[in-house]
Amino acid sequence: MKALVYRGPGDKAIEDRPEPALQAPGDAIVRIVKTTICGTDLHILKGDVPSCAPGRILGHEGVGVIEAVGAAVSAFKVGDRVLISCISACGRCEYCRRGMYSHCATGGWILGNEIDGAQAEYVRIPYADTSLYPIPPGADEDALVMLSDILPTGFECGVLNGKVAPGSTVAIVGAGPIGLAALLTAQFYSPAEIIMIDLDDNRLDVARRFGATQAINSRDGKAAERVKAVTEGRGVDAAIEAVGVPATFALCQDLVAPGGVIANVGVHGAKVDLHLERLWSQNIAITTRLVDTVSTPMLLKTVVAKKIDPKRLITHRFKLDEILDAYETFAHAAETRALKVIIEA
């Protein structure tokens, strides 16, 4: 089969690989129909994720059709159309019992990281009963690809961890796919203000169309001042960091109001400064999280019911043999105006 393989920092290639085989009774083999590229894949290519070794097939998102199931799989059968979760969950360990699937003792974020992933024609999914979701008849597969990772990530790590509430003020730093997913799902809770901050005017225009009440370009270094002006000098109740670089985490510390929450979503490959000399007395909470995908069933219902349309995040489409072009397009989003790309296998 064809697959996109990580060869080391800055190096990737399409390779011919053997099709995966069942290794455990709970496994399923899924024929990929559509997949995508995540910002985390770019972090891997930068060398920011040491758990991902050279030779790994990348990708942890997608929809497909089951080709084979292990003897212990009871929820799915050959031919079923399924949504692949970015998190593999055994469903039995202490962390899974607590709903922290991302810290599953034998799973978690392993797909496209510690085991071969979904940017290929076929993928092996461990713990299929608890790591796949049936696709309802008539559901839009393109929209559902967004449910593998970015929609639950933006919702759980940003909106839920940020304690977004009716009438609250929210700033989302980073108008990329994850930030826009947080924007879409924050609207479940009717906050009074959702302020989007980015360096890219095109993405800020998208954010306005998606429901942002304010859009601020931070290139002039005055984003914090402008947020304070919008919020009568207070700052925001929830500052959601959706980039993963020191400057954006620092900006969140400048934006948050007393009693507020900084919800970190971004993948950080370098250390950041925490200004406790300013924040120690401000009743600030700082949250971190790897997506658990506990919200996927709920989000799936909202998408199928057309209460939310994550398909709006898709800007480009490619075939699997064009995946190197897809990576170039996704990695140079400022020039290409890319948000999410769909790759059809």
Side-chain angles (χ1 to χ4, degrees):
M1 67 172 185
K2 300 293 184 185
L4 190 283
V5 178
Y6 168 61
R7 291 179 164 180
D11 191 6
K12 60 188 180 297
I14 299 173
E15 295 185 5
D16 287 310
R17 287 291 187 89
E19 292 180 12
L22 298 170
Q23 297 181 17
D27 288 354
I29 304 300
V30 176
R31 174 173 57 82
I32 295 295
V33 174
K34 292 176 180 177
T35 185
T36 186
I37 301 168
C38 180
T40 312
D41 297 321
L42 300 184
H43 280 283
I44 289 173
L45 287 166
K46 291 176 185 176
D48 289 346
V49 186
S51 55
C52 186
R56 180 70 61 229
I57 297 173
L58 294 184
H60 50 267
E61 302 164 271
V63 296
V65 179
I66 291 185
E67 293 284 305
V69 294
V73 176
S74 60
F76 300 97
K77 64 183 184 304
V78 172
D80 284 350
R81 295 165 64 236
V82 291
L83 165 67
I84 297 168
S85 174
C86 63
I87 299 295
S88 302
C90 75
R92 296 185 176 90
C93 72
E94 178 183 354
Y95 284 115
C96 283
R97 292 294 183 98
R98 290 164 56 187
M100 293 177 62
Y101 302 144
S102 61
H103 292 275
C104 173
T106 50
W109 176 41
I110 55 174
L111 195 64
N113 176 15
E114 298 177 16
I115 66 172
D116 285 336
Q119 290 171 9
E121 292 179 280
Y122 297 88
V123 62
R124 178 181 69 89
I125 303 296
Y127 308 122
D129 278 347
T130 44
S131 304
L132 296 172
Y133 295 88
I135 294 179
D140 189 314
E141 289 180 338
D142 287 359
L144 294 192
V145 173
M146 305 299 105
L147 280 172
S148 286
D149 185 353
I150 65 162
L151 213 62
T153 295
F155 181 56
E156 294 176 15
C157 305
V159 176
L160 293 185
N161 267 19
K163 296 181 170 55
V164 174
S168 64
T169 53
V170 182
I172 302 171
V173 182
I178 290 292
L180 291 171
L183 168 62
L184 288 173
T185 54
Q187 293 170 71
F188 291 158
Y189 296 97
S190 300
E193 293 277 359
I194 307 179
I195 305 165
M196 209 75 177
I197 302 170
D198 202 277
L199 298 170
D200 187 324
D201 285 331
N202 172 65
R203 289 188 167 188
L204 292 172
D205 288 340
V206 173
R208 289 187 189 95
R209 295 199 299 272
F210 281 19
T213 57
Q214 304 277 342
I216 296 173
N217 190 309
S218 57
R219 192 173 299 279
D220 61 3
K222 296 181 179 178
E225 294 176 32
R226 294 164 71 184
V227 169
K228 292 290 180 69
V230 170
T231 58
E232 299 178 344
R234 290 181 59 251
V236 293
D237 301 309
I240 299 173
E241 197 288 326
V243 182
V245 296
T248 51
F249 188 77
L251 178 56
C252 285
Q253 295 176 68
D254 294 336
L255 299 176
V256 68
V261 180
I262 297 172
N264 183 82
V265 188
V267 178
H268 288 269
K271 71 180 183 69
V272 301
D273 291 326
L274 175 60
H275 291 289
L276 280 178
E277 77 280 4
R278 288 194 286 109
L279 299 178
W280 70 270
S281 63
Q282 298 299 298
N283 295 42
I284 303 300
I286 299 174
T287 66
T288 66
R289 185 170 183 174
L290 183 60
V291 63
D292 292 302
T293 66
V294 290
S295 64
T296 301
M298 179 277 287
L299 292 170
L300 182 56
K301 290 176 184 177
T302 65
V303 171
V304 172
K306 302 189 186 308
K307 301 296 184 183
I308 188 172
D309 183 14
K311 190 175 179 180
R312 298 163 70 192
L313 293 164
I314 299 166
T315 55
H316 294 74
R317 299 172 186 277
F318 299 87
K319 299 293 186 182
L320 183 61
D321 59 7
E322 301 170 319
I323 193 168
L324 294 177
D325 294 332
Y327 263 93
E328 285 300 303
T329 298
F330 186 67
H332 295 91
E335 295 83 36
T336 63
R337 298 192 169 188
L339 291 172
K340 289 295 282 187
V341 301
I342 287 288
I343 298 159
E344 189 171 349

